[in-house]
Amino acid sequence: MGTKCKAFMLSLFLSFLLFSPVFSASSDGLVRIGLKKRNMDPNNRLAARLVSGDGEMLRTSIRKYHLRGNIRDSGDTDIVALKNYMDAQYFGEIGVGTPPQKFTVIFDTGSSNLWVPSSKCYLSVSCFFHSKYKSSESSTYKKNGKSAAIQYGTGAISGFFSEDNVKIGDLVVKNQEFIEATKEPGVTFLMAKFDGILGLGFQEISVGSAVPVWYNMVKQGLIKNPVFSFWFNRNVQEEEGGEIVFGGVDPNHYKGAHTYVPVTQKGYWQFNMGDVLIAGKTTGFCASGCAAIADSGTSLLAGPTPIITEINHAIGASGVVSQECKAVVSQYGDMMMELLLAEAQPKKVCSQIGLCTFDGTRGVSAGIESVVDAKNGDKVSGVLTDAMCSACEMSIVWMQNQLRQNQTKEQILNYVNQLCERLPNPMGESAVDCGSISSMPKVAFTIGGKTFELNPEQYILKVGEGAQAQCISGFTAMDIPPPRGPLWIMGDVFMGRYHTVFDYGKMRVGFAEAA
């Protein structure tokens, strides 16, 4: 994706959860970090409305972190992360320096750097509302000074590298390189109930090639086994938010055995995922395999627009009508169906009808000349937007799925039109009727040959009670083109249902039913 990567920005979905950590070390050699949460109060809800801009709260924030400066020249160093700060983000406390200066951080497997606000952050309002690191007050501080920046959709966190000891639970990681943030985007971090982020991903996506905290934890022999695991407590009625275990797994947090899959590409904790099922029926989208990552820093579950639209349609989520999508179906639907029935190559259909240009592997946007005044012989050249090509390719995916189910041409075109109406709106939110949750279908994902189901209570985020309750689909769209994508982001919606093990020693990820 490199420098051509565009940030996918949806409006901010702030969190007002305050986690108070409980640290414990036991005779089994595991280091446990307990997470607690605070329920939303009226003041928090008011702040969420103010920040959302248009009075609608519970929006999803999707960001593609594009790393600039001080990064390796691989050309593929983008960090993709979703940050949902309302109901499903998990925080813990760490200490930086000697004596330890306390910071609340997100433990994020979707990034690899540790950063906290700096006492030298003078011009960003956000810094005045969070703890700031003071190097002058630490006896173990070591100057580094190398500049660093992480580019976000609405601005950049920037600053410089420093080195100091980092305390996590009872462990002290010595001489850890981290970023002192001197500039922060105001809207994103102003109201957030965390100070910084502690990345648990691989060094391949680390800004400045900084060695991640987790690597040093293993290298310095601070834990028994090179494994850490997440348990998220999804019961909103309970104060305890969950637990991160460094050095192994806690058998009290899961049922049965874990299903392990190998890490296929270091950077994120990336693995291969199989088919996606809705109400037990295959969608066919990932029948030949898809790439996925387990990301504790992501609240929702994100995937390619075509299949997410199918899922949101099946659960009755409301999006915004895409005029381009409906126009493609109206004008080209019959032709697309005829080509598919004639067993044309699906990937070439959209180029055959002139909406895309086939680049050898997929369709890409094509420039098309249109004759607007044939009487006078004047031609006005114009370019159809990327949306027409994308809408065509999405429609082909949907048509293929329906053809597998032996639907008639009329039924298929009607179904595709319905899906067009379910496309997520430009800000990414998809709302559902809270009263319909019990009748929604199960959605499942095939990983390591096993089916992992999510029921409606697990994939719908509900905030509030009674008539004031709002329910949001836990599925949101994000499109990452080949060769990096399509990429699924298995965030807290999934990890909350399935206890997740990150096995650094054997380079694998494991999932088991959470207890």
Side-chain angles (χ1 to χ4, degrees), residues 25 46 68 73 87 98 102 119 134 142 151 166 203 207 236 242 247 270 272 352 357 437 441 443 445 451 477 499:
L46 174 59
R68 301 177 184 271
D73 297 323
D87 186 41
T98 306
K102 295 182 179 180
S119 61
K134 302 177 181 64
K142 292 182 180 180
Q151 185 69 38
V166 175
Q203 190 173 2
V207 172
V236 297
Q270 183 171 321
N272 287 331
Q352 287 177 317
T357 296
I437 293 178
V443 178
F445 302 87
T451 300
H499 179 266

Side-chain angles (χ1 to χ4, degrees), residues 170-430:
D170 292 326
L171 306 179
V172 177
V173 180
K174 296 181 179 180
N175 302 319
Q176 175 63 46
E177 195 172 14
F178 67 100
I179 298 173
E180 288 193 49
T182 57
K183 293 182 180 179
E184 297 182 5
V187 174
T188 305
F189 297 102
L190 180 61
M191 302 299 294
K193 295 297 183 181
F194 65 90
D195 301 312
I197 294 176
L198 192 154
L200 292 170
F202 291 91
Q203 190 173 2
E204 278 74 3
I205 57 172
S206 176
V207 172
S209 297
V211 178
V213 174
W214 168 249
Y215 281 45
N216 282 329
M217 193 181 292
V218 174
K219 183 179 180 180
Q220 295 175 20
L222 301 178
I223 54 176
K224 183 178 180 181
N225 296 309
V227 174
F228 62 91
S229 54
F230 277 81
W231 169 67
F232 293 148
N233 185 0
R234 302 293 280 182
N235 187 338
V236 297
Q237 303 301 321
E238 295 182 6
E239 183 182 8
E240 184 179 21
E243 195 171 72
I244 304 171
V245 176
F246 290 101
V249 297
D250 187 335
N252 295 317
H253 291 334
Y254 63 92
K255 304 174 184 177
H258 286 83
T259 297
Y260 285 95
V261 287
V263 172
T264 56
Q265 183 170 334
K266 290 169 66 177
Y268 316 118
W269 288 86
Q270 183 171 321
F271 56 92
N272 287 331
M273 186 180 78
D275 203 5
V276 181
L277 301 94
I278 304 174
K281 295 182 179 180
T282 178
T283 61
F285 189 84
C286 287
S288 58
C290 282
I293 67 173
D295 185 0
S296 62
T298 292
S299 294
L300 305 186
L301 195 158
T305 298
I307 187 62
I308 292 297
T309 302
E310 281 200 62
I311 293 174
N312 280 334
H313 171 69
I315 68 177
S318 301
V320 171
V321 176
S322 168
Q323 295 300 325
E324 292 87 353
C325 184
K326 294 180 72 69
V328 166
V329 176
S330 174
Q331 297 176 39
Y332 303 99
D334 288 336
M335 191 183 306
M336 293 158 68
M337 284 293 303
E338 290 174 6
L339 288 170
L340 287 175
L341 290 171
E343 299 184 352
Q345 293 185 40
K347 291 183 179 180
K348 293 185 177 181
V349 168
C350 295
S351 60
Q352 287 177 317
I353 64 177
L355 291 182
C356 301
T357 296
F358 190 68
D359 70 355
T361 59
R362 64 190 181 98
V364 296
S365 180
I368 301 176
E369 286 190 343
S370 60
V371 179
V372 297
D373 194 351
K375 180 176 64 175
N376 296 324
D378 294 329
K379 291 185 178 181
V380 177
S381 63
V383 179
L384 292 184
T385 65
D386 291 348
M388 296 293 279
C389 177
S390 298
C392 179
E393 294 210 312
M394 284 191 292
S395 298
I396 290 297
V397 172
W398 298 332
M399 289 176 179
Q400 283 181 278
N401 185 34
Q402 291 298 294
L403 283 172
R404 293 188 189 98
Q405 300 180 33
N406 297 317
Q407 299 294 314
T408 66
K409 179 179 177 181
E410 182 179 358
Q411 289 173 322
I412 292 174
L413 292 177
N414 181 58
Y415 177 72
V416 173
N417 261 309
Q418 292 179 46
L419 291 184
C420 285
E421 295 186 3
R422 297 291 185 182
L423 281 170
N425 69 23
M427 301 311 290
E429 77 182 23
S430 293

Side-chain angles (χ1 to χ4, degrees), residues 98-175:
T98 306
Q101 300 173 37
K102 295 182 179 180
F103 296 92
T104 301
V105 297
I106 300 171
F107 289 90
D108 180 17
T109 60
S111 63
S112 300
N113 288 89
L114 168 61
W115 67 262
V116 295
S118 172
S119 61
K120 297 177 177 63
C121 180
Y122 305 119
L123 302 178
S124 296
V125 176
S126 300
C127 290
F128 291 95
F129 290 86
H130 295 93
S131 299
K132 294 183 287 292
Y133 171 76
K134 302 177 181 64
S135 59
S136 61
E137 296 182 5
S138 173
S139 62
T140 47
Y141 162 75
K142 292 182 180 180
K143 183 178 180 180
N144 180 305
K146 182 174 60 177
S147 62
I150 301 179
Q151 185 69 38
Y152 290 84
T154 55
I157 286 181
S158 61
F160 56 90
F161 281 100
S162 292
E163 293 181 21
D164 210 333
N165 293 351
V166 175
K167 186 176 182 181
I168 304 175
D170 292 326
L171 306 179
V172 177
V173 180
K174 296 181 179 180
N175 302 319

